[in-house]
Amino acid sequence: MDARVQLVYFVIVATIVAIMSSIIPIDLSAFATNPSYLTQYLPTNVSTPTVINLFAYNDEFVNVLGANATARQLYNLDTQLFHEAGIYNKQTNKLYVTSNWAFDLANPINITIIDLDPAANYSYTTTRYSALAEPNGGTSYFPPGSSNSSTPPRHLYADEGDFINPSALVSVDPVTGHSEKILTNYLGRNFSSINDVRQHEGTGDIWFTDADYGYYQYFRPAPTIPKQVYRFTPSTGQISVVADGFVQSNGIEFSPDFKTLYISDTGAAGGPFLGVNLTRPSTIYAYDVINSKHLANRRVFAYSDNGFPDGIHTDTQGNVWAGCGDGIHVWDKEGTLLGKIWNGVETNNFAFLPGKLLIFSNAQLWIVEGLKAVGREVCKDFGVC
Ligand SMILES: *[C@@H]1O[C@H](CO)[C@@H](O)[C@H](O)[C@H]1NC(C)=O
Ligand SMILES: *[C@@H]1O[C@H](CO)[C@@H](O)[C@H](O)[C@H]1NC(C)=O
Ligand SMILES: *[C@@H]1O[C@H](CO)[C@@H](O)[C@H](O)[C@H]1NC(C)=O
Ligand SMILES: *[C@@H]1O[C@H](CO)[C@@H](O)[C@H](O)[C@H]1NC(C)=O
Ligand SMILES: *[C@@H]1O[C@H](CO)[C@@H](O)[C@H](O)[C@H]1NC(C)=O
Ligand SMILES: *[C@@H]1O[C@H](CO)[C@@H](O)[C@H](O)[C@H]1NC(C)=O
Ligand SMILES: *[C@@H]1O[C@H](CO)[C@@H](O)[C@H](O)[C@H]1NC(C)=O
């Protein structure tokens, strides 16, 4: 191209890069006495959101994202294909996401499979696995006797169940599509709707949360058990309740050293049945993990100022990331809010990929590229650290 066209091209590219990559510092001293402080940075029309901002509530945020991080929207659909789970698999080079409940028992929750091959341009397909009814959260799963060095991981879904199928933990082989239930009850009692799940690296135990959202969204019978958090040992079938006292136990995630467990209470969100009640929790609690088996020292880790902290993931530095009402909020391990990846819409979950983050806002899918932070699970499961 000639020099003038090249210059115009350069200016356009530089402008786009600047718009996408600039991390906006939030002046907390100004914010402290001006509740409308943030509006100066928000798009005036968020009815069809396409704007994504990186807000630094703390100088450390740029070190977490990396100075080159950029964010953009990949999809804005009229169906809600991107909701929860988000299980990265290095072998298939795909990401597995659950769609949102469509309020139609005849049209159950699908798995959206996003192709991560650069040539595929994030194209996706949808599928269902036979043993799954209404899957929500999920994680990589190493069955008893396997580890990341011997076998590629399977997937483990938190299946909320429906009026026929009880809520369950379901293992899926992402290569063959074979699926099987590994837990369907608590010693003969039904779960309400299992919401999210993680595997402890040292013991192989499965830790998971149970909530009422299947009932609140009219696809499960009335709950018959409290909102609790469980530990299940797949090799022996042993199951224990490890925490209770939640309005709605929801997101669950370990610190990278497995010494801390984070559990969110999304009690503020009551679904269409109860509606939103902002006086109830939108809170992440932290616990000490004792002897890899028990929980102690429950404390408030963080309270989300917008929406409710749904899916939680940690990075290898121990920062805690959660999908909230206006995007992703990131806290350091002390619970200090470092920043937000702000898109203005309810964001239920997200997934770390090597150097990237995919963000699930139901009808919308967003991406952060050039990301410095490394997901705990990507590192543990695939050695991509
Ligand atoms: C916001 O955007 C939507 C969709 O593009 C449009 O229909 C609506 O008129 C816009 N509202 C305002 C206040 O500009
Ligand atoms: C950021 O991008 C610049 C220019 O492409 C490159 O030189 C630099 O190494 C990158 N930094 C990081 C931390 O990736
Ligand atoms: C599931 O996938 C099928 C086939 O692609 C589609 O017809 C259906 O609408 C999808 N359901 C949901 C809830 O996304
Ligand atoms: C990638 O997909 C988007 C829409 O999803 C499209 O706008 C874009 O042109 C595609 N890019 C390439 C290189 O195919
Ligand atoms: C558990 O749920 C299943 C399926 O919804 C139902 O058939 C069964 O009766 C329930 N069991 C108990 C003990 O409530
Ligand atoms: C909101 O939740 C609080 C605490 O559970 C309860 O006391 C109050 O009645 C609820 N408000 C509404 C409007 O439901
Ligand atoms: C398994 O994970 C460890 C880190 O926990 C990593 O060092 C190793 O390379 C991984 N192995 C494979 C085959 O991914």
Side-chain angles (χ1 to χ4, degrees):
M1 57 182 91
D2 77 35
R4 211 183 55 185
V5 173
Q6 195 169 357
L7 179 65
V8 171
Y9 174 80
F10 175 79
V11 169
I12 290 170
V13 169
T15 305
I16 290 169
V17 168
I19 288 168
M20 293 202 305
S21 64
S22 59
I23 296 176
I24 299 170
I26 300 300
D27 180 347
L28 288 178
S29 298
F31 205 163
T33 53
N34 176 9
S36 305
Y37 171 85
L38 214 55
T39 55
Q40 65 188 300
Y41 297 116
L42 307 186
T44 49
N45 188 350
V46 291
S47 67
T48 53
T50 55
V51 174
I52 185 160
N53 286 322
L54 306 174
F55 288 142
Y57 283 65
N58 184 288
D59 292 344
E60 187 55 29
F61 197 45
V62 65
N63 295 328
V64 173
L65 293 181
N68 286 349
T70 60
R72 63 192 169 100
Q73 185 177 70
L74 286 178
Y75 291 111
N76 188 358
L77 308 175
D78 54 12
T79 49
Q80 304 199 345
L81 296 191
F82 316 108
H83 183 58
E84 281 255 28
I87 314 173
Y88 168 69
N89 191 281
K90 190 181 171 194
Q91 275 76 25
T92 60
N93 201 20
K94 292 186 168 74
L95 182 76
Y96 302 76
V97 185
T98 53
S99 65
N100 201 3
W101 166 240
F103 290 90
D104 180 2
L105 284 165
N107 182 19
I109 292 171
N110 288 331
I111 307 294
T112 307
I113 304 178
I114 302 169
D115 193 337
L116 302 176
D117 184 325
N121 190 23
Y122 300 103
S123 60
Y124 59 82
T125 56
T126 58
T127 193
R128 287 182 191 146
Y129 299 113
S130 59
L132 277 175
E134 304 291 353
N136 186 64
T139 192
S140 281
Y141 170 52
F142 295 97
S146 74
S147 71
N148 70 338
S149 56
S150 60
T151 330
R154 294 195 193 156
H155 293 167
L156 193 65
Y157 288 97
D159 186 344
E160 296 181 278
D162 55 26
F163 287 113
I164 299 161
N165 299 284
S167 185
L169 293 176
V170 179
S171 162
V172 175
D173 183 327
V175 177
T176 65
H178 173 76
S179 58
E180 60 186 302
K181 300 184 186 202
I182 68 164
L183 179 70
T184 62
N185 66 90
Y186 174 74
L187 303 173
R189 300 268 300 276
N190 280 330
F191 300 108
S192 297
S193 27
I194 299 176
N195 194 288
D196 212 347
V197 56
R198 293 291 181 271
Q199 184 169 33
H200 186 282
E201 184 177 31
T203 63
D205 286 350
I206 308 300
W207 297 62
F208 62 94
T209 58
D210 190 27
D212 290 339
Y213 290 110
Y215 177 60
Y216 287 171
Q217 295 178 98
Y218 310 117
F219 63 89
R220 287 282 296 151
T224 55
I225 201 160
K227 269 63 70 182
Q228 301 181 130
V229 180
Y230 299 82
R231 172 172 42 75
F232 174 60
T233 306
S235 59
T236 63
Q238 185 181 315
I239 185 164
S240 307
V241 174
V242 289
D244 67 1
F246 295 89
V247 181
Q248 297 298 333
S249 41
N250 193 319
I252 183 166
E253 170 64 319
F254 288 102
S255 61
D257 61 6
F258 290 90
K259 290 182 175 158
T260 305
L261 184 69
Y262 299 100
I263 302 170
S264 71
D265 189 334
T266 55
F273 188 83
L274 286 185
V276 173
N277 183 332
L278 293 177
T279 70
R280 296 205 219 102
S282 290
T283 307
I284 301 175
Y285 295 93
Y287 298 76
D288 297 337
V289 182
I290 308 296
N291 296 330
S292 301
K293 289 287 179 192
H294 302 289
L295 297 178
N297 195 16
R298 170 182 162 126
R299 65 256 184 207
V300 170
F301 172 75
Y303 174 76
S304 169
D305 66 278
N306 194 309
F308 48 92
D310 198 341
I312 313 174
H313 301 272
T314 52
D315 64 31
T316 52
Q317 301 302 306
N319 300 308
V320 179
W321 305 50
C324 296
D326 53 356
I328 293 176
H329 299 189
V330 183
W331 297 270
D332 70 8
K333 61 182 83 164
E334 311 300 333
T336 299
L337 180 63
L338 299 182
K340 294 184 180 183
I341 301 169
W342 186 98
N343 59 12
V345 279
E346 180 172 315
T347 296
N348 297 90
N349 217 326
F350 55 96
F352 283 102
L353 312 172
K356 294 173 189 160
L357 192 76
L358 276 184
I359 300 170
F360 317 143
S361 307
N362 297 305
Q364 290 136 13
L365 182 71
W366 311 73
I367 189 166
V368 178
E369 291 159 301
L371 180 69
K372 183 176 161 202
V374 176
R376 174 190 77 77
E377 295 155 291
V378 172
C379 175
K380 173 183 85 72
D381 298 338
F382 304 105
V384 182
C385 307

